[in-house]
Amino acid sequence: MFSEIGSKINRLRLDKKLTLKELSQLTNLSVGFLSQLERGLTTVAIDSLDNISKALGVDINYFFTLAKEQSRFIQKSYEREIVFMDKDNFIQFHLSNSLGDKNMFPRLVEVYPKRDNETVLTYTHEGEEFIYILEGILTYYYDGEKTELYPGDSVHIRSTLSHNWENNTNKIVKLLMVSTPNRFHESQQDAPAQKI
């Protein structure tokens, strides 16, 4: 997935006759990072990808294959599509057939075990998040506190305070996540950047 995103960024940048340095100045992202991203050698947070999409004059959805909008309010398990994937840390799956006209963004997340050399940094964005642990043990950081969450535990936070998670076990953690705002809602396309 990230090689596809990188290829699309490279193609758009060259079409607009921008150098990596010029794109770096427009996005406040380093030339080295952008170069690695274009070659599919690194992952990208949604807020950084949003900055890139704005600098290149496209909607962020350009970089994702979104679930086909359907009028059905039910989504069968076999219809589920990947919405975002960090090849080393997690995969997020759509839990809705139509995100364009909804306020909440529901998804199933599979969090992979943390690598030994990985540092988890907290972040903030507008809105709220609800997380329900389905399987495994998740280490959760919120506003300077660290908590272990077990199956059946839930978290409901304001996303404007620093937060993040990590999986310190050797098994995949599965969780249900619902957040606002829905970055894929039509009204949010020009909203401030956030992480998915």
Side-chain angles (χ1 to χ4, degrees), residues 134-153:
L134 299 167
E135 187 179 305
I137 303 168
L138 186 74
T139 302
Y140 195 79
Y141 298 92
Y142 181 65
D143 196 25
E145 291 186 34
K146 176 181 173 182
T147 306
E148 303 295 324
L149 300 175
Y150 296 85
D153 291 348

Side-chain angles (χ1 to χ4, degrees), residues 28 43 46-47 91 96 106 117 120 138 154 187:
N28 291 322
T43 60
I46 198 68
D47 54 348
I91 299 178
S96 173
N117 61 348
V120 175
L138 186 74
S154 60
S187 68

Side-chain angles (χ1 to χ4, degrees), residues 63-77:
F63 297 107
F64 298 100
T65 303
L66 294 178
K68 298 172 184 71
E69 293 285 318
Q70 298 181 20
S71 59
R72 293 182 55 207
F73 62 93
I74 295 171
Q75 183 190 73
K76 294 292 190 178
S77 60

Side-chain angles (χ1 to χ4, degrees), residues 1 18 39 68 78 86 90 120 143 157 160-161 172:
M1 178 182 197
L18 290 172
R39 292 180 286 146
K68 298 172 184 71
Y78 56 81
D86 177 324
F90 61 87
V120 175
D143 196 25
I157 65 162
T160 51
L161 294 177
I172 292 175

Side-chain angles (χ1 to χ4, degrees), residues 68-169:
K68 298 172 184 71
E69 293 285 318
Q70 298 181 20
S71 59
R72 293 182 55 207
F73 62 93
I74 295 171
Q75 183 190 73
K76 294 292 190 178
S77 60
Y78 56 81
E79 296 174 323
R80 194 173 299 149
E81 294 183 15
I82 293 175
V83 61
F84 193 73
M85 178 173 63
D86 177 324
K87 62 187 175 186
D88 296 316
N89 297 313
F90 61 87
I91 299 178
Q92 297 187 22
F93 300 89
H94 277 290
L95 291 180
S96 173
N97 281 334
S98 60
L99 288 169
D101 64 345
K102 302 296 188 298
N103 293 322
M104 296 186 301
F105 181 25
R107 54 217 187 264
L108 173 68
V109 183
E110 295 183 357
V111 185
Y112 296 118
K114 180 183 149 191
R115 293 170 296 175
D116 291 338
N117 61 348
E118 184 181 2
T119 301
V120 175
L121 302 175
T122 58
Y123 62 96
T124 64
H125 57 85
E126 66 171 303
E128 295 180 36
E129 289 182 13
F130 173 82
I131 295 172
Y132 180 85
I133 306 301
L134 299 167
E135 187 179 305
I137 303 168
L138 186 74
T139 302
Y140 195 79
Y141 298 92
Y142 181 65
D143 196 25
E145 291 186 34
K146 176 181 173 182
T147 306
E148 303 295 324
L149 300 175
Y150 296 85
D153 291 348
S154 60
V155 173
H156 189 185
I157 65 162
R158 293 190 185 283
S159 307
T160 51
L161 294 177
S162 63
H163 60 285
N164 207 342
W165 64 50
E166 63 185 349
N167 178 356
N168 289 314
T169 72

